[in-house]
Amino acid sequence: MTRPRSLSPAARSILFLLAEAGSGWSYGYDLCRKAGVKSGTLYPLLIRLEEQQHLEAQWLPAEPGRPPRHVYRLTATGHRLASENPPLVPASPAPVERPA
């Protein structure tokens, strides 16, 4: 029996950003920038989520001065996964008490 793995903070952030986009498409570069993750983390994550059918991807044709671009959006199961795994909010540090 395999044990389900918990999602990484990066995965949770990406799912949240894609869920915010609703049914719209998102560019990988925008996801990197907004989530604050490096492309070496993002693209393998997107590939895994697509293989698990949590998101779909497609290539957009080249525009003048731009190469073709890959875009991503969540599937119905991806939206469910995103709602079940909200982004982790870093705990704010406890206030430092200073002696009077």
Side-chain angles (χ1 to χ4, degrees):
M1 177 179 4
T2 59
R3 188 182 77 163
R5 294 177 58 188
S6 62
L7 293 174
S8 68
R12 290 170 176 261
S13 295
I14 296 304
L15 287 168
F16 174 77
L17 290 170
L18 288 166
E20 273 192 329
S23 61
W25 295 94
S26 298
Y27 295 106
Y29 175 78
D30 291 338
L31 293 170
C32 276
R33 192 174 41 79
K34 290 177 182 175
V37 298
K38 296 184 184 213
S39 61
T41 299
L42 176 73
Y43 291 104
L45 173 61
L46 292 173
I47 290 167
R48 278 194 308 276
L49 289 171
E50 183 179 15
E51 288 172 351
Q52 296 167 357
Q53 299 181 349
H54 294 300
L55 65 84
E56 58 183 320
Q58 76 173 18
W59 284 99
L60 295 181
E63 297 175 4
R66 283 192 169 253
R69 296 176 78 183
H70 219 168
V71 290
Y72 307 89
R73 71 177 172 190
L74 291 179
T75 61
T77 59
H79 279 284
R80 189 168 35 258
L81 182 66
S83 68
E84 294 169 355
N85 294 280
L88 300 174
V89 178
S92 56
V96 177
E97 292 186 33
R98 306 227 187 268

